[in-house]
Amino acid sequence: MLTAAMHNVPFDQLEIGMEAARTRTLQAEDLFVFANSSGNVNPMHLPDEDGDGDGKPEAVAPGMWVASLISAVLGCDLPGPGTLYHSQTLRFLRQANAGDTLTVKVRLTAKAPDRLVSFDTWIETAAGERVLEGEAQVYAPEKPMSFAPEDLPGLTLQRHVHFDRLLSMAEPLPPIPTAVVAPEKPDALAGAILAAQHTLIHPILIGHAERIAEAAEEEGIDLAPYRIVDVRDHRLAAQEAVRMVLAREAAALMKGHLHTDILLSEVVKRDGGLRKGGRRLSHVFVMDVPGLDHLLMVTDAAINISPDLKVKADIVQNAIDLAHALGMAEPKVGVLSAVEVINPAIPSTLDAAALSKMAERGQITGGLVDGPLAMDNAINIGAAATKGIRSLVAGRAEILVAPNMESGNMLAKELTFLAHAEAGGVVMGAKCPIILTSRADDDQARLASCAVAALYADHVAGGAS
């Protein structure tokens, strides 16, 4: 965003031969912004698309985007604020692509009545090659003026580059055999099949065979490549899925169209369940928040309603274990409360302080844990500095631990529906990852959940957990 004051050169102060220049590096985000603002969605100009069928994205800058850089020099530098276009000619000499650094130059060549002035205009690469050239005629400002665009609104792109990275990490792995419980509705079945098409999972469909077939017909899905286990009761289907994991026929569970508590009640059974060394189950949302330069994990927002300190320790450890599988060597864990100071009247601040000390003493391992932290100073360095908080976690948290399920659920949904985050998630603490999807999830969220499960299963299989 521009913040420095700009000053113009009025018509009567302009002299033939005056020059001005600006340099700009073309970012992939610029191409998305231009596509949205102009409506030009030619795939040749989109960073992630192959527009000509040669097997790789072109990310060619639209000619009008390149030309618009000329208007920035004329409108901001010479003549500057108050300038209006009359005409512009353009001759395109070569392409510009995402990553190119472009220098825009203008030179005053003529002055005419009615404050009409002419400029030679050209744009060149860092190597000095001209991208375009032409002539601009503009109406120069009559009076001196300054302008400081301090209130110019910023833009946040709804890109999900972190989920794209997870998918690129997971897709080369062998698909994990996944027991999909009761995929008896189109959305539940389609999510599993989509993940199979991306080679994330190999689904074993457990449920009412006729209903699964009806869902497949509605979605136009060919079930021939997939094993179907006909179990016509949801609890029995969950039991069969757990048995498959114990027998190593499956390496993950995926919830279909059944109540979560039915599935998890079979998972946590003391005899024949999937408990892992007494560890408490917890849910972890893995979130790709536009504008944030790293993945954000939120826990627990789906299982433990009012966790005590012991349960919170398991929640934190589960999240750290998952973070390792996603490539975070030493994840930063912010334990949230309403305030960042210990207050005996607010029990969550006491739990947060205890969890921090437990991490220092090795009772929680693999991550940096700090709390209590309020939401602002957990994720914003400026807010942490204002409060005088000195911490390796404050302002940089990658895992947010909520005080209870209500606050965690609200936080995750606020990020999803207000900040346009994508959210995938899994249940941790069992002998295998458990993929919980919602009917509100879009394709990207479903794929992300399966990618997270695949990466964790591979992490465990490699002996790293």
Side-chain angles (χ1 to χ4, degrees):
M1 181 188 300
L2 297 172
T3 56
M6 303 181 297
H7 307 280
N8 70 2
V9 182
F11 177 77
D12 60 2
Q13 296 179 23
L14 290 171
E15 298 179 2
I16 304 301
M18 281 184 164
E19 295 187 354
R22 281 189 172 223
T23 298
R24 168 79 174 264
T25 298
L26 171 57
Q27 307 288 342
E29 287 76 8
D30 294 323
L31 303 182
F32 287 118
V33 171
F34 186 84
N36 275 279
S37 61
S38 69
N40 180 3
V41 292
N42 178 353
M44 291 292 291
H45 304 314
L46 299 178
D48 302 328
E49 302 297 331
D50 176 13
D52 59 7
D54 66 353
K56 60 183 180 180
E58 283 70 38
V60 176
M64 290 300 101
W65 182 89
V66 177
S68 72
L69 301 181
I70 299 171
S71 70
V73 179
L74 296 171
C76 298
D77 302 315
L78 185 70
T83 299
L84 290 174
Y85 251 120
H86 175 270
S87 64
Q88 174 80 57
T89 63
L90 301 168
R91 292 180 295 279
F92 294 95
L93 306 176
R94 70 183 300 276
Q95 295 176 351
N97 298 84
D100 286 349
T101 297
L102 305 174
T103 298
V104 189
K105 298 182 179 181
V106 303
R107 180 186 299 120
L108 181 62
T109 57
K111 297 176 68 174
D114 299 322
R115 293 185 282 111
L116 187 65
V117 293
S118 300
F119 288 87
D120 280 341
T121 60
W122 67 99
I123 299 178
E124 58 190 36
T125 67
E129 298 177 289
R130 286 201 175 188
V131 176
L132 70 78
E133 58 188 18
E135 182 184 70
Q137 288 189 316
V138 300
Y139 295 104
E142 182 179 5
K143 300 176 182 179
M145 69 171 292
S146 299
F147 177 65
E150 296 173 353
D151 296 327
L152 184 68
L155 297 176
T156 299
L157 290 179
Q158 294 179 30
R159 291 191 74 194
H160 298 104
V161 294
H162 306 305
F163 274 8
D164 292 342
R165 179 179 60 82
L166 290 183
L167 289 173
S168 67
M169 290 168 59
E171 286 183 349
L173 301 174
I176 55 172
T178 302
V180 186
V181 185
E184 299 164 354
K185 292 290 183 180
D187 58 338
L189 179 62
I193 302 306
L194 180 65
Q197 292 169 345
H198 282 261
T199 68
L200 300 173
I201 69 171
H202 180 71
I204 304 165
L205 309 176
I206 306 170
H208 196 298
E210 292 179 5
R211 293 174 185 167
I212 294 172
E214 290 170 0
E217 184 176 1
E218 186 172 336
E219 288 291 306
I221 293 172
D222 178 12
L223 293 177
Y226 309 109
R227 177 185 173 190
I228 299 174
V229 180
D230 187 14
V231 180
R232 304 197 170 200
D233 176 85
H234 284 176
R235 187 167 297 280
L236 294 177
Q239 289 176 5
E240 175 62 15
V242 169
R243 184 202 67 77
M244 285 187 173
V245 172
L246 292 173
R248 299 192 176 183
E249 297 174 33
L253 295 182
M254 184 173 185
K255 174 181 173 289
H257 188 75
L258 80 163
H259 290 298
T260 301
D261 58 352
I262 293 176
L263 176 60
L264 295 185
S265 66
E266 297 302 318
V267 171
V268 300
K269 278 185 175 179
R270 294 191 180 277
D271 296 322
L274 298 177
R275 286 176 174 268
K276 181 182 177 182
R279 180 83 64 87
R280 187 66 172 256
L281 296 188
S282 61
H283 183 270
V284 184
F285 272 117
V286 179
M287 311 198 76
D288 191 337
V289 185
L292 197 62
D293 62 2
H294 57 80
L295 282 170
L296 186 67
M297 299 166 67
V298 176
T299 188
D300 178 354
I303 294 180
N304 295 288
I305 298 173
S306 298
D308 59 19
L309 179 60
K310 183 177 184 303
V311 173
K312 286 183 179 179
D314 283 349
I315 289 172
V316 172
Q317 191 65 65
N318 284 341
I320 290 173
D321 290 349
L322 180 59
H324 289 167
L326 303 185
M328 302 179 198
E330 191 176 43
K332 301 175 183 66
V333 183
V335 187
L336 298 179
S337 185
V339 294
E340 64 282 345
V341 295
I342 298 170
N343 184 341
I346 306 177
S348 61
T349 67
L350 302 177
D351 286 349
L355 291 167
S356 299
K357 183 58 68 174
M358 291 172 73
E360 287 181 16
R361 299 288 173 86
Q363 293 172 268
I364 297 171
T365 61
L368 298 173
V369 181
D370 194 16
L373 294 172
M375 181 65 182
D376 57 347
N377 47 62
I379 62 171
N380 185 275
I381 292 176
T386 299
K387 294 291 182 69
I389 302 172
R390 296 181 179 179
S391 163
L392 293 174
V393 175
R396 306 173 180 86
E398 297 161 309
I399 299 172
L400 298 177
V401 181
N404 52 47
M405 187 184 76
E406 292 171 298
S407 57
N409 193 274
M410 286 186 279
L411 172 58
K413 288 181 178 176
E414 285 163 358
L415 289 170
T416 300
F417 293 100
L418 294 180
H420 307 290
E422 284 281 6
V426 296
V427 174
M428 296 288 293
K431 293 180 179 178
C432 73
I434 302 168
I435 305 164
L436 294 186
T437 56
S438 165
R439 284 174 292 177
D441 288 345
D442 61 14
D443 287 350
Q444 186 80 347
R446 294 174 190 276
L447 286 176
S449 295
C450 293
V452 168
L455 289 168
Y456 182 73
D458 180 72
H459 182 72
V460 173
S465 175

